[in-house]
Protein backbone atom coordinates (compact mmCIF):
# COMPACT_ATOMS: atom_id res chain seq x y z
CA UNK A 1 0.00 0.00 0.00
CA UNK A 2 1.44 3.36 -0.97
CA UNK A 3 2.17 5.99 1.70
CA UNK A 4 0.39 9.33 1.68
CA UNK A 5 2.22 12.64 1.44
CA UNK A 6 0.46 16.00 1.26
CA UNK A 7 2.23 19.11 -0.01
CA UNK A 8 0.63 22.51 0.61
CA UNK A 9 -3.13 23.03 0.67
CA UNK A 10 -5.02 20.48 -1.41
CA UNK A 11 -7.75 22.08 -3.52
CA UNK A 12 -9.42 21.17 -6.73
CA UNK A 13 -8.46 17.50 -7.08
CA UNK A 14 -12.06 16.58 -6.39
CA UNK A 15 -12.99 18.64 -9.46
CA UNK A 16 -10.65 16.67 -11.69
CA UNK A 17 -13.33 14.76 -13.57
CA UNK A 18 -15.20 17.94 -14.43
CA UNK A 19 -12.27 19.77 -16.02
CA UNK A 20 -11.91 19.14 -19.73
CA UNK A 21 -10.54 22.35 -21.23
CA UNK A 22 -7.45 21.84 -23.41
CA UNK A 23 -4.21 23.52 -22.43
CA UNK A 24 -1.79 25.20 -24.80
CA UNK A 25 1.14 22.97 -25.74
CA UNK A 26 4.42 24.73 -26.41
CA UNK A 27 6.75 22.73 -28.64
CA UNK A 28 9.75 22.94 -26.32
CA UNK A 29 12.14 20.01 -25.92
CA UNK A 30 11.00 17.56 -23.28
CA UNK A 31 12.96 14.62 -21.89
CA UNK A 32 14.58 12.65 -24.71
CA UNK A 33 12.90 9.45 -25.82
CA UNK A 34 14.82 6.26 -25.27
CA UNK A 35 15.24 3.00 -27.12
CA UNK A 36 12.27 1.19 -25.59
CA UNK A 37 11.84 -2.43 -26.59
CA UNK A 38 9.12 -3.30 -24.12
CA UNK A 39 6.89 -2.00 -21.36
CA UNK A 40 8.61 -0.81 -18.17
CA UNK A 41 9.37 -3.65 -15.79
CA UNK A 42 9.80 -1.69 -12.57
CA UNK A 43 7.74 0.69 -10.51
CA UNK A 44 8.75 4.32 -11.13
CA UNK A 45 10.68 6.20 -8.49
CA UNK A 46 9.92 9.67 -7.09
CA UNK A 47 6.17 9.19 -7.39
CA UNK A 48 5.55 12.56 -5.74
CA UNK A 49 8.17 14.43 -7.77
CA UNK A 50 7.30 18.11 -8.14
CA UNK A 51 9.11 18.38 -11.49
CA UNK A 52 7.08 20.37 -14.00
CA UNK A 53 9.19 20.83 -17.12
CA UNK A 54 7.49 22.46 -20.12
CA UNK A 55 6.96 20.97 -23.55
CA UNK A 56 4.80 18.16 -24.93
CA UNK A 57 4.56 15.14 -22.66
CA UNK A 58 5.47 12.90 -25.61
CA UNK A 59 6.91 13.81 -29.04
CA UNK A 60 4.00 14.84 -31.24
CA UNK A 61 5.32 13.60 -34.60
CA UNK A 62 6.08 10.12 -35.90
CA UNK A 63 4.16 7.90 -33.45
CA UNK A 64 3.16 4.52 -34.90
CA UNK A 65 1.59 2.75 -31.91
CA UNK A 66 0.57 3.08 -28.28
CA UNK A 67 0.83 0.16 -25.86
CA UNK A 68 -1.15 0.09 -22.62
CA UNK A 69 1.05 -1.70 -20.07
CA UNK A 70 -0.31 -3.06 -16.78
CA UNK A 71 2.44 -4.26 -14.47
CA UNK A 72 1.35 -6.29 -11.41
CA UNK A 73 2.22 -4.74 -8.07
CA UNK A 74 4.52 -7.09 -6.18
CA UNK A 75 2.50 -7.24 -2.96
CA UNK A 76 -0.57 -8.53 -4.81
CA UNK A 77 -1.29 -12.17 -5.56
CA UNK A 78 1.31 -13.93 -7.67
CA UNK A 79 -1.51 -15.17 -9.90
CA UNK A 80 -1.77 -11.70 -11.46
CA UNK A 81 -0.09 -11.38 -14.83
CA UNK A 82 1.23 -8.49 -16.88
CA UNK A 83 -1.26 -7.28 -19.48
CA UNK A 84 -0.12 -5.40 -22.58
CA UNK A 85 -2.34 -4.23 -25.43
CA UNK A 86 -1.15 -2.30 -28.50
CA UNK A 87 -3.15 0.27 -30.45
CA UNK A 88 -2.25 1.02 -34.05
CA UNK A 89 -5.42 2.92 -35.05
CA UNK A 90 -6.14 6.38 -33.63
CA UNK A 91 -2.57 6.76 -32.36
CA UNK A 92 -2.53 10.48 -33.18
CA UNK A 93 -5.61 10.97 -30.99
CA UNK A 94 -3.85 9.38 -28.02
CA UNK A 95 -0.72 11.48 -28.56
CA UNK A 96 -2.84 14.65 -28.76
CA UNK A 97 -4.71 13.72 -25.56
CA UNK A 98 -1.49 13.13 -23.62
CA UNK A 99 -0.09 16.45 -24.80
CA UNK A 100 -3.29 18.30 -23.79
CA UNK A 101 -2.92 17.31 -20.15
CA UNK A 102 -2.10 20.50 -18.23
CA UNK A 103 0.97 21.44 -16.26
CA UNK A 104 0.60 22.58 -12.67
CA UNK A 105 0.13 26.28 -13.40
CA UNK A 106 -2.41 25.52 -16.14
CA UNK A 107 -4.26 23.15 -13.82
CA UNK A 108 -4.36 25.80 -11.10
CA UNK A 109 -5.97 28.16 -13.62
CA UNK A 110 -8.57 25.55 -14.56
CA UNK A 111 -9.45 24.94 -10.91
CA UNK A 112 -9.76 28.64 -10.18
CA UNK A 113 -12.03 29.22 -13.17
CA UNK A 114 -14.17 26.29 -12.02
CA UNK A 115 -14.46 27.75 -8.51
CA UNK A 116 -15.24 31.23 -9.84
CA UNK A 117 -18.04 29.76 -11.96
CA UNK A 118 -19.50 28.31 -8.75
CA UNK A 119 -19.20 31.66 -6.97
CA UNK A 120 -16.59 30.40 -4.52
CA UNK A 121 -13.65 32.32 -3.06
CA UNK A 122 -10.35 31.62 -4.85
CA UNK A 123 -8.05 34.03 -3.01
CA UNK A 124 -6.45 31.27 -0.94
CA UNK A 125 -6.48 28.45 -3.46
CA UNK A 126 -3.18 26.60 -3.63
CA UNK A 127 -2.97 23.32 -5.45
CA UNK A 128 -0.92 20.87 -3.44
CA UNK A 129 -0.58 17.18 -4.15
CA UNK A 130 -2.29 14.28 -2.43
CA UNK A 131 -1.94 10.61 -3.25
CA UNK A 132 -4.65 8.26 -2.08
CA UNK A 133 -4.14 4.89 -0.46
CA UNK A 134 -6.01 2.86 -3.07
CA UNK A 135 -4.13 -0.40 -3.50
CA UNK A 136 -4.39 -0.88 -7.25
CA UNK A 137 -3.34 -4.31 -8.49
CA UNK A 138 -1.31 -2.99 -11.45
CA UNK A 139 0.86 -0.01 -12.32
CA UNK A 140 -0.35 1.74 -15.49
CA UNK A 141 1.84 2.88 -18.38
CA UNK A 142 1.19 4.19 -21.88
CA UNK A 143 4.16 3.46 -24.14
CA UNK A 144 4.22 5.52 -27.34
CA UNK A 145 6.46 4.01 -30.03
CA UNK A 146 7.90 5.96 -32.99
CA UNK A 147 9.01 5.16 -36.54
CA UNK A 148 12.70 5.19 -35.60
CA UNK A 149 12.20 2.46 -33.00
CA UNK A 150 12.31 4.77 -30.02
CA UNK A 151 9.60 5.12 -27.44
CA UNK A 152 8.24 7.37 -24.68
CA UNK A 153 6.80 5.67 -21.58
CA UNK A 154 4.23 7.69 -19.58
CA UNK A 155 3.34 6.51 -16.08
CA UNK A 156 -0.39 7.06 -15.43
CA UNK A 157 -0.79 7.31 -11.66
CA UNK A 158 -4.43 7.08 -10.58
CA UNK A 159 -3.45 7.43 -6.92
CA UNK A 160 -1.88 10.84 -7.51
CA UNK A 161 -4.05 11.90 -10.48
CA UNK A 162 -1.03 12.55 -12.67
CA UNK A 163 0.75 11.38 -15.81
CA UNK A 164 4.54 11.56 -15.65
CA UNK A 165 7.49 11.05 -17.95
CA UNK A 166 10.97 11.88 -16.79
CA UNK A 167 10.87 15.36 -15.27
CA UNK A 168 7.43 16.15 -16.67
CA UNK A 169 4.23 15.93 -14.66
CA UNK A 170 0.74 16.52 -15.99
CA UNK A 171 -2.70 16.37 -14.32
CA UNK A 172 -5.40 13.90 -15.40
CA UNK A 173 -8.13 16.31 -16.45
CA UNK A 174 -8.89 13.71 -19.14
CA UNK A 175 -8.92 9.91 -18.97
CA UNK A 176 -6.09 8.53 -21.11
CA UNK A 177 -6.59 4.87 -20.14
CA UNK A 178 -10.33 4.94 -20.82
CA UNK A 179 -9.67 6.71 -24.16
CA UNK A 180 -7.10 4.05 -25.08
CA UNK A 181 -9.44 1.18 -24.23
CA UNK A 182 -12.30 2.71 -26.23
CA UNK A 183 -10.07 2.89 -29.31
CA UNK A 184 -8.64 -0.57 -28.62
CA UNK A 185 -12.08 -2.19 -28.35
CA UNK A 186 -12.99 -0.66 -31.71
CA UNK A 187 -9.75 -1.97 -33.18
CA UNK A 188 -10.43 -5.50 -31.89
CA UNK A 189 -14.05 -5.39 -33.11
CA UNK A 190 -12.89 -4.28 -36.58
CA UNK A 191 -10.72 -7.41 -36.78
CA UNK A 192 -13.95 -9.48 -36.59
CA UNK A 193 -12.98 -11.98 -33.88
CA UNK A 194 -14.83 -15.32 -33.84
CA UNK A 195 -18.29 -15.12 -32.30
CA UNK A 196 -18.23 -17.19 -29.10
CA UNK A 197 -20.97 -19.70 -28.37
CA UNK A 198 -23.14 -19.23 -25.29
CA UNK A 199 -24.56 -22.11 -23.27
CA UNK A 200 -26.52 -22.59 -20.04
CA UNK A 201 -25.02 -24.97 -17.49
CA UNK A 202 -27.34 -27.88 -16.72
CA UNK A 203 -27.10 -27.28 -12.97
CA UNK A 204 -25.43 -25.07 -10.39
CA UNK A 205 -24.78 -25.37 -6.64
CA UNK A 206 -27.25 -23.57 -4.39
CA UNK A 207 -24.64 -21.71 -2.34
CA UNK A 208 -24.94 -17.93 -2.04
CA UNK A 209 -21.31 -17.25 -3.01
CA UNK A 210 -22.41 -17.71 -6.62
CA UNK A 211 -22.77 -13.93 -6.48
CA UNK A 212 -19.05 -13.44 -5.81
CA UNK A 213 -17.54 -14.79 -9.00
CA UNK A 214 -19.56 -14.21 -12.20
CA UNK A 215 -17.50 -14.85 -15.33
CA UNK A 216 -16.34 -11.57 -16.89
CA UNK A 217 -14.08 -11.78 -19.93
CA UNK A 218 -15.17 -8.28 -21.00
CA UNK A 219 -13.38 -6.79 -17.96
CA UNK A 220 -9.93 -7.09 -19.52
CA UNK A 221 -10.67 -4.31 -22.03
CA UNK A 222 -13.21 -2.35 -20.00
CA UNK A 223 -11.03 -0.42 -17.59
CA UNK A 224 -11.98 0.52 -14.05
CA UNK A 225 -14.62 3.05 -14.97
CA UNK A 226 -17.43 3.30 -17.47
CA UNK A 227 -20.23 0.94 -18.41
CA UNK A 228 -20.25 -2.74 -17.49
CA UNK A 229 -20.92 -3.58 -21.15
CA UNK A 230 -19.12 -0.83 -23.10
CA UNK A 231 -19.35 -2.49 -26.54
CA UNK A 232 -22.27 -3.54 -28.74
CA UNK A 233 -23.51 -7.08 -28.08
CA UNK A 234 -23.55 -9.86 -30.65
CA UNK A 235 -25.47 -12.49 -28.65
CA UNK A 236 -27.33 -13.05 -25.39
CA UNK A 237 -28.74 -16.07 -23.60
CA UNK A 238 -30.99 -16.12 -20.51
CA UNK A 239 -31.04 -19.20 -18.26
CA UNK A 240 -33.55 -19.91 -15.46
CA UNK A 241 -32.71 -22.18 -12.52
CA UNK A 242 -34.84 -23.62 -9.71
CA UNK A 243 -33.83 -25.63 -6.65
CA UNK A 244 -34.39 -29.35 -7.22
CA UNK A 245 -32.67 -32.23 -5.49
CA UNK A 246 -30.07 -30.14 -3.68
CA UNK A 247 -28.93 -28.19 -6.75
CA UNK A 248 -30.19 -25.42 -9.00
CA UNK A 249 -31.48 -27.13 -12.14
CA UNK A 250 -31.91 -25.48 -15.52
CA UNK A 251 -35.66 -25.27 -16.23
CA UNK A 252 -35.80 -22.81 -19.13
CA UNK A 253 -33.57 -20.89 -21.52
CA UNK A 254 -34.11 -18.33 -24.25
CA UNK A 255 -32.08 -16.04 -26.53
CA UNK A 256 -33.37 -12.44 -26.25
CA UNK A 257 -33.58 -10.74 -29.63
CA UNK A 258 -33.38 -7.12 -28.52
CA UNK A 259 -29.66 -6.94 -27.78
CA UNK A 260 -29.67 -3.16 -27.27
CA UNK A 261 -32.35 -3.62 -24.59
CA UNK A 262 -30.34 -6.41 -22.95
CA UNK A 263 -27.22 -4.25 -22.86
CA UNK A 264 -29.08 -1.25 -21.42
CA UNK A 265 -30.78 -3.30 -18.70
CA UNK A 266 -27.58 -5.05 -17.61
CA UNK A 267 -25.61 -1.80 -17.61
CA UNK A 268 -28.23 -0.20 -15.38
CA UNK A 269 -28.31 -3.28 -13.13
CA UNK A 270 -24.54 -2.97 -12.56
CA UNK A 271 -24.67 0.71 -11.53
CA UNK A 272 -24.11 1.73 -7.93
CA UNK A 273 -26.75 4.27 -6.96
CA UNK A 274 -25.97 6.90 -4.34
CA UNK A 275 -27.84 9.61 -2.46
CA UNK A 276 -26.67 12.77 -0.70
CA UNK A 277 -27.45 12.65 3.05
CA UNK A 278 -28.09 15.93 4.99
CA UNK A 279 -24.55 15.91 6.40
CA UNK A 280 -22.99 15.87 2.94
CA UNK A 281 -21.05 13.25 1.02
CA UNK A 282 -22.45 10.29 -0.90
CA UNK A 283 -24.29 7.30 0.54
CA UNK A 284 -24.44 3.99 -1.36
CA UNK A 285 -28.07 2.86 -1.49
CA UNK A 286 -27.74 0.06 -4.04
CA UNK A 287 -25.81 -2.69 -2.24
CA UNK A 288 -27.60 -5.51 -0.45
CA UNK A 289 -26.76 -8.24 2.03
CA UNK A 290 -28.57 -10.82 -0.09
CA UNK A 291 -26.10 -13.54 -0.98
CA UNK A 292 -23.41 -12.52 1.48
CA UNK A 293 -24.07 -14.72 4.51
CA UNK A 294 -24.30 -18.14 2.91
CA UNK A 295 -27.84 -18.77 4.21
CA UNK A 296 -30.49 -19.49 3.21
CA UNK A 297 -29.57 -21.42 0.07
CA UNK A 298 -30.67 -20.04 -3.28
CA UNK A 299 -34.06 -21.31 -4.43
CA UNK A 300 -34.34 -19.56 -7.80
CA UNK A 301 -31.85 -17.70 -9.98
CA UNK A 302 -31.59 -16.36 -13.53
CA UNK A 303 -28.29 -16.07 -15.40
CA UNK A 304 -27.78 -13.87 -18.46
CA UNK A 305 -24.80 -14.60 -20.71
CA UNK A 306 -23.68 -12.01 -23.27
CA UNK A 307 -21.00 -11.78 -25.97
CA UNK A 308 -19.79 -8.50 -27.45
CA UNK A 309 -18.12 -7.41 -30.70
CA UNK A 310 -14.65 -7.90 -29.24
CA UNK A 311 -15.33 -11.64 -28.92
CA UNK A 312 -15.50 -11.57 -25.09
CA UNK A 313 -18.16 -13.14 -22.86
CA UNK A 314 -19.62 -12.12 -19.48
CA UNK A 315 -22.48 -13.18 -17.24
CA UNK A 316 -24.87 -11.50 -14.83
CA UNK A 317 -26.47 -13.53 -12.05
CA UNK A 318 -29.86 -12.57 -10.64
CA UNK A 319 -31.11 -14.25 -7.46
CA UNK A 320 -34.93 -14.38 -7.44
CA UNK A 321 -35.59 -16.25 -4.16
CA UNK A 322 -35.41 -16.28 -1.18
CA UNK A 323 -34.08 -12.72 -1.64
CA UNK A 324 -33.31 -10.60 -4.68
CA UNK A 325 -29.88 -9.46 -5.83
CA UNK A 326 -27.88 -9.04 -9.01
CA UNK A 327 -24.14 -9.48 -9.49
CA UNK A 328 -21.83 -9.02 -12.43
CA UNK A 329 -18.08 -8.78 -12.84
CA UNK A 330 -18.56 -5.03 -12.43
CA UNK A 331 -20.22 -5.00 -9.03
CA UNK A 332 -22.36 -7.03 -6.69
CA UNK A 333 -24.44 -8.03 -4.99
CA UNK A 334 -26.72 -5.08 -5.72
CA UNK A 335 -30.43 -4.52 -5.27
CA UNK A 336 -32.40 -5.51 -8.36
CA UNK A 337 -33.83 -2.49 -10.15
CA UNK A 338 -37.49 -2.90 -11.24
CA UNK A 339 -37.08 -3.10 -15.06
CA UNK A 340 -34.82 -6.17 -14.96
CA UNK A 341 -37.16 -8.76 -13.45
CA UNK A 342 -40.11 -8.29 -15.84
CA UNK A 343 -37.66 -8.28 -18.75
CA UNK A 344 -36.26 -11.62 -17.62
CA UNK A 345 -39.77 -13.04 -17.29
CA UNK A 346 -40.63 -11.83 -20.79
CA UNK A 347 -37.48 -13.33 -22.34
CA UNK A 348 -37.89 -16.67 -20.61
CA UNK A 349 -41.59 -16.93 -21.39
CA UNK A 350 -40.82 -17.31 -25.08
Amino acid sequence: MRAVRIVGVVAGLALLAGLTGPSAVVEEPGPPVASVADCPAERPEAVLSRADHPGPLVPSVGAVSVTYCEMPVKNWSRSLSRRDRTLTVGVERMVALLNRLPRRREYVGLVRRQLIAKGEDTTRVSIGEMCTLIGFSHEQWLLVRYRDGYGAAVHVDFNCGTARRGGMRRYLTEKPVEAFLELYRAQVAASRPPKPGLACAGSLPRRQDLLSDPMDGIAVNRGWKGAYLPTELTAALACRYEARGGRLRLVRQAAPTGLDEVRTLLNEAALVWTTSPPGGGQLDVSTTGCGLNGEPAIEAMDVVWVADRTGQVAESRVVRAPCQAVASGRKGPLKVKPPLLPALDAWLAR
Side-chain angles (χ1 to χ4, degrees), residues 25-34 52-60 99 152 165-170:
V25 174
V26 180
E27 287 287 349
E28 299 179 23
V33 293
D52 198 23
H53 297 320
L57 186 58
V58 296
S60 57
N99 286 336
R165 185 172 78 88
M168 310 179 80
R169 178 185 59 177
R170 303 292 182 263

Side-chain angles (χ1 to χ4, degrees), residues 121-171:
D121 180 20
T122 64
T123 57
R124 299 186 64 184
V125 170
S126 175
I127 304 301
E129 185 170 343
M130 178 177 67
C131 293
T132 66
L133 285 174
I134 299 174
F136 292 111
S137 62
H138 290 75
E139 293 285 352
Q140 322 289 312
W141 299 81
L142 288 170
L143 171 59
V144 185
R145 290 189 175 94
Y146 294 84
R147 296 191 191 102
D148 56 9
Y150 286 75
V154 176
H155 179 235
V156 181
D157 192 333
F158 292 145
N159 272 314
C160 298
T162 58
R164 295 186 300 110
R165 185 172 78 88
M168 310 179 80
R169 178 185 59 177
R170 303 292 182 263
Y171 288 84

Side-chain angles (χ1 to χ4, degrees), residues 154-307:
V154 176
H155 179 235
V156 181
D157 192 333
F158 292 145
N159 272 314
C160 298
T162 58
R164 295 186 300 110
R165 185 172 78 88
M168 310 179 80
R169 178 185 59 177
R170 303 292 182 263
Y171 288 84
L172 298 181
T173 53
E174 299 187 56
K175 301 175 181 179
V177 170
E178 282 74 10
F180 174 94
L181 290 172
E182 181 179 359
L183 291 168
Y184 184 74
R185 290 192 301 268
Q187 176 178 285
V188 173
S191 70
R192 297 186 178 181
K195 183 178 177 180
L198 303 179
C200 299
S203 68
L204 297 170
R206 292 180 63 187
R207 64 180 188 271
Q208 291 282 20
D209 62 2
L210 284 171
L211 293 183
S212 66
D213 59 352
M215 191 273 184
D216 189 7
I218 291 173
V220 67
N221 293 325
R222 179 196 299 129
W224 296 335
K225 300 179 181 179
Y228 163 55
L229 302 175
T231 305
E232 180 182 356
L233 301 183
T234 58
L237 181 64
C239 319
R240 174 153 290 177
Y241 296 88
E242 295 177 358
R244 296 180 183 178
R247 289 182 67 84
L248 292 170
R249 304 286 177 180
L250 179 67
V251 296
R252 198 171 305 133
Q253 63 182 24
T257 55
L259 296 180
D260 288 343
E261 177 195 16
V262 174
R263 182 183 174 202
T264 297
L265 285 169
L266 295 182
N267 276 338
E268 291 178 350
L271 287 175
V272 173
W273 296 91
T274 60
T275 186
S276 298
Q282 295 292 316
L283 179 65
D284 182 350
V285 294
S286 59
T287 56
T288 175
C290 173
L292 292 180
N293 301 320
E295 294 181 359
I298 297 174
E299 297 174 8
M301 184 172 74
D302 294 339
V303 176
V304 183
W305 289 94
V306 296

Side-chain angles (χ1 to χ4, degrees), residues 78-97:
R78 293 184 179 181
S79 64
L80 292 177
S81 60
R82 199 176 92 178
R83 302 179 297 218
D84 303 340
R85 277 140 288 180
T86 297
L87 180 71
T88 57
V89 177
V91 173
E92 65 284 348
R93 289 173 57 184
M94 286 301 306
V95 169
L97 185 155

